[in-house]
């Protein structure tokens, strides 16, 4: 009952060879021409039809298996096509025992061909082959192919071409069985749990030993293969016995890779996954400390001497993982009442803060961003302590200084055409704001005084300061509004010292003349801050006219930048709505309309005497706008 694949004629009238036997000896050569991306639409359509025929046939796919097992075709697109057909059969076909055996034999024969030397397959072919191997593993491991990995290892030995496929297959298995980002049905989840349990019992020790042999054998000669292996270790360590990896033999090998330029980024990621594994808090602290001591003695904590920012970004992520692991251990030990070990863990945590600060203040934002999580968690620890030591206060102050420095724009920020880099900095600023908010919970006095100091000194010399210095000073003042929250925005009542400081800063913002600064970022930050602290004008309403003028003149609604005009129009409408009380509105009207009324008589006289029609129109528009504004207010 073989497949009957009918003959067909393409648009140009070229007849295909047709397949009529149960196990065809050759494939449809004409259809295969359509697999080439540059092929005509006629051939591509024919290739697609051929693919559908092979998929729907009960045994037509066997021609693809034969082609792979014998290495008949050298064309990459044909090989990929053959693996696609096999993949479909494994996923959706009702295969007999003999057909399953054929697929196993096909895959092993194809793998054997890879060991012969010669030109290795393209990565996309190897990845597809690994995916098909992984699908076969998932389907047959628990039933008819329990020796799957042993068979693979027995075949490939230490052949680098074979190990490449083996490692890719392990990552494909991880994607099918372990990866938490992939949604699985309840049935698949149960199956995957059984697979992992069986692997732990039967083959994981052998797999770990193979990883060690690969890392040791090829760390100098095949860096790409070694990096693949490190990625596999990082992926599997989350669910296998950690003692198989976290031992002197294995960790020392990983640490040696930290000194090899081609390997150290992947080694960092691998160590991060080891540190990130859930475990007993006491054991976790010991693991982190042993790793920390080795890294420090090897000179990795000397961040200033490292010029490779890509590596430092990975290293910062590793240190972040180590720090957060210690915080988690401290939290668990504190809750359990183990005071002695909790104190030791806190000391270990404190010892990492100097390194944290070096990375947080680093000029590269990626390096800094990767350590923010540890910094945030450390501040949370300080918030829970009943009393801070002088060193802890110094640490909080150093973090505050780092946050203020890193919030600052650099010269390369493109305000006119904001792209991906600018969007990333905006997100990074949000992370820094979280640190500022957490700092305010630890020591509101520190945050208030630090911002006040920077703001006051910058406002005194804004005329000669660079735009980013002025912008960040106002931005910090703006951020205080959320870092030091007040009920319904009432920042200027209640707490005397805070209210007085904010009131002084607001007065300085308005009276300093900084609204005249010629940079859009400063202009926008000025108006955002005025609206954020609108309650200030209840306390000091005499500033309302000057602020309204700023909104209405070249600094605001008449600004040269459309972006500024658009945002200021929105902020102006919000600001006006805060001026609700009738008595205040009347006072505002008097202060604004008095000078207008004095000018109206002169304008009206000019309007009646003006002979030029265009001038008459201009004067009428001027009066109309003035009256319209008075009505709007």
């Amino acid at each position: 009952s073989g497949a009957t694949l009918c003959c067909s004629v393409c648009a140009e009238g070229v007849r295909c060879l047709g397949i009529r036997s149960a196990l065809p000896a050759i494939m449809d050569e004409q259809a295969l021409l359509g697999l080439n991306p540059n092929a005509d639409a006629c051939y591509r359509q024919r290739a697609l039809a051929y693919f559908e025929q092979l998929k729907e046939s009960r045994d037509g796919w066997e021609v693809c298996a034969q082609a792979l097992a014998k290495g008949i075709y050298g064309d990459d697109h044909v090989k990929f096509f053959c693996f696609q057909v096999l993949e479909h059969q494994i996923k959706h076909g009702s295969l007999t025992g003999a057909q399953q055996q054929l697929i196993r034999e096909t895959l092993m024969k194809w793998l054997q061909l890879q060991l012969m030397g010669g030109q290795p397959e393209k990565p996309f072919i190897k990845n597809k082959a690994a995916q098909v191997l992984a699908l076969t593993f998932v389907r047959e491991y628990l039933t008819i192919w329990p020796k799957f990995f042993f068979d693979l290892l027995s075949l490939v030995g230490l052949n680098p071409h074979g190990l490449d496929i083996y490692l890719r297959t392990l990552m494909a298995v991880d994607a099918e069985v372990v990866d938490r980002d992939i949604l699985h049905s309840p049935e698949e989840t149960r199956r995957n749990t059984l697979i992992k349990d069986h692997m732990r019992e039967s083959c994981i020790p052998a797999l770990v030993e193979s990883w060690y042999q690969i890392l040791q054998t090829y760390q100098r000669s095949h860096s790409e293969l070694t990096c693949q292996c490190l990625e596999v270790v990082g992926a599997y360590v989350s669910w296998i016995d950690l003692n198989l990896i976290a031992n002197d033999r294995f960790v020392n090998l990983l640490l040696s890779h930290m000194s090899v330029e081609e390997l150290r980024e992947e080694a960092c990621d691998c160590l991060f996954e080891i540190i990130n594994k859930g475990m007993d808090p006491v054991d976790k602290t010991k693991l982190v400390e042993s790793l920390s001591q080795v890294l420090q003695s090897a000179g990795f904590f000397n961040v200033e001497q490292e010029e490779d920012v890509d590596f430092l970004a990975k290293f910062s992520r590793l240190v972040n993982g180590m720090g957060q692991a210690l915080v988690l251990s401290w939290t668990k030990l504190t809750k359990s009442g183990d005071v002695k070990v909790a104190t030791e863990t806190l000391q270990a945590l404190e010892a990492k803060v100097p390194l944290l600060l070096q990375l947080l203040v680093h000029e590269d934002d990626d390096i800094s961003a990767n350590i923010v999580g540890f910094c945030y968690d450390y501040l949370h620890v300080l918030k829970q302590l009943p009393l801070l030591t002088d060193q802890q206060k110094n640490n909080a102050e150093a973090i505050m200084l780092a946050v203020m420095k890193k919030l600052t724009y650099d010269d390369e920020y493109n305000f006119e055409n904001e792209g991906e880099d600018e969007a990333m900095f905006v997100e990074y600023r949000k992370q820094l704001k979280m640190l500022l908010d957490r700092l305010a919970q630890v020591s509101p006095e520190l945050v208030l005084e630090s911002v006040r100091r920077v703001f006051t000194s910058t406002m005194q010399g804004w005329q000669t300061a660079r735009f980013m210095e002025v912008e960040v000073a106002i931005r910090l003042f703006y951020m205080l509004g959320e870092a030091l929250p007040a009920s319904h925005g009432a920042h200027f009542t209640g707490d005397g010292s805070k209210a007085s400081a904010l009131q002084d800063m607001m007065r300085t913002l308005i009276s300093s003349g900084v609204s005249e600064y010629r940079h859009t970022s400063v202009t926008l930050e000025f108006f955002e801050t005025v609206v954020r602290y609108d309650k200030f004008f209840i306390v000091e309403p005499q500033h309302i006219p000057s602020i309204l003028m700023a909104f209405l003149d070249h600094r605001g609604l008449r600004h040269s930048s459309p972006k500024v005009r658009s945002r200021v129009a929105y902020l102006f409408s919000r600001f006006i709505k805060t001026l609700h009380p009738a008595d205040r509105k009347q006072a505002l009207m008097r202060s604004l309309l008095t000078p207008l009324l004095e000018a109206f008589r002169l304008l009206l006289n000019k309007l009646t005497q003006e002979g030029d029609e265009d001038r008459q129109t201009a004067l009428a528009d001027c009066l109309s706008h003035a009256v319209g504004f008075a009505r709007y207010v």
Side-chain angles (χ1 to χ4, degrees):
S1 58
T4 302
L5 304 184
C6 300
C7 295
S8 61
V9 182
C10 77
E12 295 177 356
V14 181
R15 291 186 60 82
C16 75
L17 296 178
I19 299 175
R20 298 189 178 279
S21 62
L23 183 59
I26 57 173
M27 299 176 72
D28 183 345
E29 302 290 342
Q30 293 290 325
L32 296 182
L33 293 175
L35 298 175
N36 191 308
N38 299 319
D40 292 339
C42 161
Y43 287 104
R44 289 203 302 272
Q45 185 176 8
R46 182 164 172 170
L48 185 62
Y50 184 49
F51 181 51
E52 291 301 319
Q53 286 176 335
L54 288 174
K55 283 199 306 183
E56 292 175 13
S57 163
R58 279 197 309 156
D59 52 7
W61 58 270
E62 293 177 13
V63 68
C64 296
Q66 188 181 62
L68 289 171
K70 295 184 177 181
I72 293 173
Y73 294 96
D75 186 282
D76 293 330
H77 302 293
V78 175
K79 287 184 277 190
F80 189 82
F81 172 83
C82 290
F83 275 119
Q84 280 186 305
V85 174
L86 256 64
E87 178 186 21
H88 181 270
Q89 288 301 320
I90 295 166
K91 280 184 173 180
H92 307 292
S94 298
L95 299 173
T96 65
Q99 289 174 322
Q100 287 178 306
Q101 177 69 21
L102 176 61
I103 287 179
R104 289 196 296 275
E105 290 175 356
T106 297
L107 293 173
M108 296 302 277
K109 286 177 181 176
W110 177 86
L111 184 54
Q112 195 166 25
L113 289 175
Q114 310 312 304
L115 311 180
M116 303 299 186
Q119 191 68 22
E121 297 283 12
K122 297 283 196 324
F124 76 96
I125 302 289
K126 291 187 282 190
N127 286 336
K128 179 55 72 174
Q131 191 179 2
V132 173
L133 277 161
L135 288 170
T136 305
F137 166 82
V138 167
R139 180 164 179 156
E140 301 185 358
Y141 177 64
L142 294 173
T143 52
I144 58 178
W145 202 358
K147 299 291 185 182
F148 176 88
F149 283 115
F150 291 105
D151 289 347
L152 254 61
L153 285 170
S154 175
L155 178 61
V156 303
L158 283 175
N159 182 292
H161 296 311
L163 289 174
D164 184 4
I165 306 299
Y166 163 65
L167 294 171
R168 290 174 193 269
T169 302
L170 282 166
M171 290 306 298
V173 167
D174 175 77
E176 290 289 333
V177 176
V178 183
D179 195 331
R180 293 177 178 83
D181 294 330
I182 298 175
L183 292 176
H184 292 290
S185 67
E187 183 181 348
E188 289 172 336
T189 302
R190 284 192 297 273
R191 178 205 66 193
N192 292 346
T193 301
L194 287 172
I195 287 174
K196 287 189 290 184
D197 288 344
H198 198 271
M199 286 180 69
R200 288 189 193 100
E201 293 172 6
S202 62
C203 67
I204 287 298
L207 297 185
V208 172
E209 182 59 30
S210 74
W211 302 338
Y212 181 83
Q213 295 301 328
I214 294 168
L215 294 175
Q216 188 178 50
T217 304
Y218 291 114
Q219 57 185 327
R220 301 292 177 185
S221 59
H222 290 71
S223 58
E224 191 173 328
L225 196 65
T226 307
C227 285
Q228 274 183 265
C229 191
L230 288 168
E231 185 182 4
V232 168
V233 175
Y236 278 71
V237 76
S238 67
W239 59 275
I240 67 174
D241 181 3
L242 186 63
N243 292 319
L244 294 169
I245 303 293
N247 51 59
D248 290 344
R249 185 178 80 135
F250 219 109
V251 171
N252 287 337
L253 185 59
L254 293 176
L255 288 169
S256 72
H257 294 159
M258 292 281 285
S259 301
V260 181
E261 187 174 349
E262 297 84 2
L263 307 179
R264 58 185 189 162
E265 289 183 31
E266 202 65 57
C268 259
D269 284 345
C270 186
L271 288 169
F272 172 82
E273 295 299 337
I274 293 172
I275 291 296
N276 207 35
K277 182 178 172 66
M279 58 193 297
D280 174 79
V282 177
D283 292 339
K284 177 61 73 72
T285 300
K286 288 178 180 176
L287 176 64
V288 171
E289 281 305 273
S290 63
L291 178 59
S292 176
Q293 288 165 11
V294 175
L295 289 173
Q296 188 168 14
S297 63
F300 286 105
F301 284 16
N302 301 324
V303 173
E304 298 92 342
Q305 298 175 15
E306 180 56 62
E307 297 179 356
D308 185 348
V309 292
D310 291 332
F311 168 69
L312 270 185
K314 297 284 189 179
F315 180 68
S316 183
R317 179 171 176 262
L318 172 59
V319 175
N320 189 73
M322 293 164 63
Q324 290 189 304
L326 289 174
V327 169
L328 185 59
S329 293
W330 177 83
T331 303
K332 289 180 178 178
L333 291 165
T334 303
K335 285 181 179 178
S336 68
D338 194 338
V339 178
K340 180 177 179 296
V341 183
T343 303
E344 291 172 355
T345 302
L346 182 58
Q347 290 171 350
L349 184 59
E350 297 279 359
K352 309 294 178 294
V353 174
L355 179 58
L356 178 158
L357 290 168
Q358 288 185 70
L359 295 166
L360 182 64
V361 81
H362 197 281
E363 63 181 12
D364 186 278
D365 291 340
D366 289 337
I367 294 168
S368 177
N370 282 349
I371 202 73
V372 165
F374 175 24
C375 190
Y376 186 83
D377 289 351
Y378 173 66
L379 291 172
H380 184 62
V381 170
L382 295 187
K383 179 174 175 284
Q384 296 176 68
L385 298 177
L387 193 65
L388 298 186
T389 65
D390 289 342
Q391 184 58 56
Q392 288 166 339
K393 291 176 183 176
N394 291 338
N395 290 342
E397 187 171 358
I399 292 171
M400 182 68 207
L401 291 171
V403 168
M404 291 193 294
K405 177 183 177 183
K406 293 300 294 180
L407 275 167
T408 309
Y409 285 113
D410 60 30
D411 291 317
E412 297 175 358
Y413 193 98
N414 189 339
F415 290 92
E416 300 306 317
N417 186 22
E418 293 178 319
E420 185 178 349
D421 289 342
E422 287 74 20
M424 288 172 65
F425 182 73
V426 170
E427 287 303 311
Y428 172 57
R429 264 192 156 192
K430 291 177 182 177
Q431 291 182 283
L432 294 174
K433 181 193 174 297
M434 289 170 52
L435 291 183
L436 188 76
D437 292 344
R438 184 47 62 91
L439 271 164
Q441 294 172 7
V442 174
S443 178
E445 302 81 13
L446 167 67
V447 172
L448 180 59
E449 185 51 41
S450 299
V451 172
R452 184 179 188 178
R453 184 173 63 249
V454 169
F455 178 82
T456 304
S457 64
T458 305
M459 290 302 104
Q460 287 172 351
W462 66 264
Q463 295 90 339
T464 56
R466 301 168 74 197
F467 85 85
M468 63 277 288
E469 296 167 355
V470 182
E471 191 277 343
V472 80
I474 304 174
R475 181 68 180 173
L476 284 163
F477 178 31
Y478 176 91
M479 286 177 163
L480 281 180
E482 289 185 6
L484 305 173
S487 177
H488 303 292
H491 291 285
F492 305 96
T493 57
D495 184 344
S497 60
K498 181 187 118 177
S500 174
L502 292 176
Q503 198 166 330
D504 286 345
M505 292 166 72
M506 195 64 187
R507 198 180 301 118
T508 300
L509 180 71
I510 296 168
S511 62
S512 66
V514 74
S515 60
E516 294 283 358
Y517 199 99
R518 296 300 182 90
H519 195 281
T520 56
S521 67
V522 175
T523 303
L524 287 171
E525 206 58 64
F526 172 83
F527 286 112
E528 295 281 359
T529 305
V530 164
V531 175
R532 147 116 339 150
Y533 295 114
D534 55 11
K535 299 293 189 296
F536 166 78
F537 298 98
I538 297 174
V539 182
E540 299 192 22
Q542 67 271 23
H543 297 290
I544 294 176
S546 63
I547 284 298
L548 285 172
M549 290 308 298
F551 269 112
L552 296 169
D553 65 18
H554 64 279
R555 293 167 288 178
L557 291 173
R558 292 171 57 199
H559 197 280
S560 59
S561 165
K563 179 180 176 182
V564 171
R565 291 198 301 270
S566 174
R567 183 64 182 168
V568 168
Y570 166 72
L571 292 171
F572 181 55
S573 68
R574 280 183 54 191
F575 184 73
I576 288 296
K577 288 174 185 175
T578 66
L579 306 175
H580 280 313
D583 55 338
R584 286 181 58 213
K585 226 169 201 181
Q586 289 169 4
L588 174 62
M589 291 278 282
R590 281 195 298 273
S591 66
L592 289 173
L593 292 181
T594 298
L596 289 175
L597 288 170
E598 291 172 358
F600 272 10
R601 191 175 295 106
L602 178 61
L603 287 170
L604 284 168
N605 288 336
K606 281 191 174 185
L607 181 62
T608 56
Q609 296 171 11
E610 183 62 59
D612 183 273
E613 188 174 339
D614 290 338
R615 289 288 295 162
Q616 274 189 335
T617 303
L619 287 168
D621 285 345
C622 183
L623 284 166
S624 174
H625 287 316
V627 173
F629 169 67
R631 291 178 61 196
Y632 177 63
V633 174

